[in-house]
């Protein structure tokens, strides 16, 4: 029966049925086949309860904060400040893209929102300065993936809800890997710039740094307010997301005076569309998770893998390969929702810390955002740059390699991600 269900899911996806709808249809078929039509009334109740968990409120709020930033000049000021800091380095505009994405990631938590915001500003600027279209799209796309590693991260929120792991600890665990990833990407961008003889943007001037810092000062306060409140324990991740929206409204509308009602309306429409997609996936996953639990599918898979090997290192390698393959074909939200309930019994049985595994999942799916055929973030960058996806992928290989190096380091040196968690929370 399992083979038939997987075949049905693949068939629905191949005929372009939305993944959330395909998951729900497959699960309803499985429920009817195993329990009869009298089990159908329970479908709506399970989907509703699964989509109304309190931590999930953080997702639309962080998305809304990011869209307000895009509409109120906050993103532009962050780019100007980053340019003043890194513009004196050869190929500095690519480093501006990476550093600005790291700043933006600390507020939006969404890689797609990041690449849409930064790409619309930086890709045209890089093209004017002689950067190739493919490289401009590649560096913007790959640096945007830092948004799923650096807190707050929407995939981490989803993983926390699916696994029961602490969202705050997941956020803290992502800090060091995110910073390492950003620095390594800057190094790769510098090597590329040397080879391509890319220009220096501007001389380093303290006066220019001070001016842009003063202009972006309120924008830079956003991550301090959000993450400071969450990490100190004063607010939960969900409450921090609410604070992010209020702060973005105040800074964009009152301080910078660039957020009018028309722009706010557009931001809310974009937020509503993105949230609807994610929450439909969550509801469908709740139904699938309930069915899998009753059928004891995760426990059977865990038992089969442990019967094959009981080496934690080998199992981590198998899980990495599995997640990388899944990431090629599913968006990160769908992959987390589909996979995490299945593999968590194996993770627990092997004594792998759920927070550590959450970083492994997030990094794997971050790589999936850059690797076709799905590659949601890469596709967005290519759309902004009007570039061919396969040509951009070729230019992106060095940055994908950085993400792979960070993944291997986090997988086999757990202290990289867990040192801050152990220091402050355990």
């Amino acid at each position: 029966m399992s083979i038939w269900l997987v075949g049905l899911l693949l068939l629905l996806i191949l005929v372009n049925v939305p993944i959330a709808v395909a998951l729900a249809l497959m699960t309803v078929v499985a429920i009817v086949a195993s329990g009869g039509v009298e089990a159908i009334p329970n479908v709506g109740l399970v989907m509703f309860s699964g989509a109304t968990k309190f931590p999930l409120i953080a997702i639309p709020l962080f998305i809304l904060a990011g869209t307000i930033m895009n509409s109120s000049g906050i993103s532009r000021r962050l780019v100007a400040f980053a340019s003043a800091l890194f513009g004196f380095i050869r190929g500095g505009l690519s480093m501006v893209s990476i550093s600005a994405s790291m700043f933006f990631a600390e507020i939006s938590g969404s890689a797609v929102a990041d690449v849409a915001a930064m790409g619309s500003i930086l890709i045209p600027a890089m093209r004017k300065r002689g950067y190739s279209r493919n490289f401009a799209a590649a560096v913007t796309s790959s640096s945007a993936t830092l948004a799923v590693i650096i807190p707050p991260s929407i995939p981490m929120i989803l993983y926390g809800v699916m696994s029961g792991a602490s969202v705050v600890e997941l956020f803290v665990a992502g800090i060091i890997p995110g910073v390492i990833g950003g620095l390594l990407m800057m190094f790769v961008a510098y090597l590329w710039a040397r080879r391509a003889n890319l220009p220096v943007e501007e001389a380093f001037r303290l006066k220019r740094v001070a001016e842009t810092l003063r202009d972006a000062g309120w924008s830079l306060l956003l991550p301090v307010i959000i993450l400071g409140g969450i990490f100190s324990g004063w607010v939960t991740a969900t409450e921090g997301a609410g604070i992010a929206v209020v702060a973005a409204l105040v800074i964009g509308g009152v301080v910078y005076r660039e957020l009018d009602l028309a722009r706010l309306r557009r931001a809310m429409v974009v937020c509503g569309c993105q949230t609807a997609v994610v929450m439909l996936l969550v509801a469908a996953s709740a139904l699938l998770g309930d069915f899998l639990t009753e059928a004891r599918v995760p426990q059977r898979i865990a038992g089969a893998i442990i019967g094959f090997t009981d080496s934690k290192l080998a199992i981590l390698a198998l899980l990495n390969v599995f997640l990388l393959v899944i990431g090629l074909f599913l968006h990160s939200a769908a992959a987390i929702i589909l996979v995490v309930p299945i593999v968590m019994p194996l993770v627990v049985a092997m004594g792998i810390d759920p927070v550590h595994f959450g970083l492994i999942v997030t990094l794997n799916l971050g790589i999936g955002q850059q690797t076709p055929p799905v590659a949601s973030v890469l596709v967005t960058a290519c759309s902004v740059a009007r570039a061919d996806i396969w040509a951009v992928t070729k230019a992106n290989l060095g940055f994908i390699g950085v993400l792979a190096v960070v993944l291997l380091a986090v997988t086999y040196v757990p202290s990289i991600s867990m040192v801050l968690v152990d220091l402050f929370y355990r």
Side-chain angles (χ1 to χ4, degrees):
M1 181 178 175
S2 299
I3 296 175
W4 286 104
L5 291 175
V6 172
L8 174 61
L9 177 63
L10 292 176
L11 176 62
L12 291 171
I13 292 174
L14 287 174
V15 297
N16 211 28
V17 174
I19 293 175
V21 177
L23 285 175
L25 285 174
M26 179 200 71
T27 309
V28 169
V29 170
I31 289 172
V32 171
S34 61
V37 293
E38 56 270 17
I40 289 181
N42 194 45
V43 168
L45 294 174
V46 173
M47 295 181 72
F48 178 79
S49 62
T52 53
K53 295 178 181 177
F54 180 72
L56 292 172
I57 299 174
I59 294 175
L61 292 175
F62 277 127
I63 293 174
L64 180 58
T67 55
I68 290 173
M69 283 182 59
N70 292 346
S71 305
S72 57
I74 295 175
S75 303
R76 188 180 69 252
R77 288 172 170 84
L78 291 176
V79 169
F81 176 58
S83 182
L85 285 177
F86 299 106
F88 70 96
I89 306 172
R90 184 170 298 280
L93 201 52
S94 60
M95 298 188 187
V96 170
S97 178
I98 295 167
S99 57
S101 288
M102 293 174 73
F103 279 122
F104 192 89
E106 293 174 348
I107 303 167
S108 73
S110 168
V112 173
D114 192 330
V115 77
M118 298 296 108
S120 60
I121 299 171
L122 286 166
I123 290 177
M126 283 190 272
R127 293 288 295 131
K128 289 179 182 178
R129 297 293 291 168
Y131 290 70
S132 73
R133 188 185 306 274
N134 296 331
F135 178 75
V139 70
T140 305
S141 176
S142 55
S143 60
T145 286
L146 295 173
V148 305
I149 307 170
I150 296 175
S153 162
I154 289 175
M156 286 183 182
I157 295 171
L158 284 173
Y159 173 85
V161 171
M162 294 293 109
S163 67
S166 166
V167 173
V168 174
E169 290 184 8
L170 287 164
F171 283 177
V172 173
I175 294 175
I176 293 178
V179 172
I180 292 174
L183 293 175
L184 289 176
M185 284 185 183
M186 288 184 179
F187 179 68
V188 171
Y190 176 74
L191 294 179
W192 184 290
R194 294 266 304 192
R195 188 177 68 179
N197 196 30
L198 294 176
V200 173
E201 303 307 318
E202 58 181 279
F204 182 82
R205 293 182 294 122
L206 282 175
K207 182 180 179 181
R208 172 65 176 162
V209 173
E211 289 173 352
T212 55
L213 176 60
R214 183 168 59 251
D215 194 32
W218 286 98
S219 304
L220 296 174
L221 275 179
L222 274 170
V224 175
I225 294 169
I226 299 166
L227 300 182
I230 294 173
F231 294 159
S232 66
W234 292 345
V235 297
T236 64
T238 305
E239 293 163 345
I243 292 173
V245 173
V246 173
L249 285 170
V250 171
I251 293 172
V254 179
V255 179
Y256 295 150
R257 298 184 180 181
E258 293 190 25
L259 183 68
D260 54 24
L261 288 177
R263 290 180 177 178
L264 179 60
R265 179 183 177 278
R266 286 196 297 270
M268 294 180 71
V269 169
V270 171
C271 171
C273 293
Q274 292 184 14
T275 300
V277 172
V278 174
M279 297 312 295
L280 186 57
L281 274 169
V282 171
S285 75
L287 185 64
L288 177 62
D290 185 73
F291 171 76
L292 292 175
T293 301
E294 291 187 4
R296 297 186 58 82
V297 172
Q299 290 80 357
R300 292 176 186 172
I301 293 175
I305 294 178
I306 292 174
F308 175 72
T309 177
D310 59 357
S311 168
K312 183 184 291 188
L313 296 181
I315 287 176
L316 284 171
L318 289 172
L319 289 172
N320 271 329
V321 172
F322 175 62
L323 289 166
L324 284 170
V325 173
I326 289 292
L328 292 174
F329 302 101
L330 293 178
H331 296 282
S332 57
I336 289 171
I337 287 164
L338 179 62
V339 171
V340 170
I342 295 175
V343 301
M344 280 312 295
L346 173 62
V347 171
V348 173
M350 293 305 302
I352 301 170
D353 191 299
V355 173
H356 175 217
F357 184 65
L359 263 292
I360 294 173
V361 171
T362 303
L363 280 162
N364 272 292
L365 299 179
I367 294 173
Q369 293 178 340
Q370 304 299 324
T371 48
V374 174
S376 55
V377 177
L378 182 68
V379 168
T380 304
C382 291
S383 175
V384 173
R386 297 180 181 178
D388 177 71
I389 187 171
W390 296 107
V392 174
T393 298
K394 183 179 178 181
N396 203 20
L397 290 177
F399 299 112
I400 294 173
V402 166
L403 293 173
V405 167
V406 176
L407 169 62
L408 290 174
V410 166
T411 300
Y412 295 110
V413 188
S415 58
I416 292 176
S417 57
M418 297 301 295
V419 60
L420 293 181
V421 176
D422 293 336
L423 181 63
F424 293 111
Y425 295 97
R426 298 183 179 178

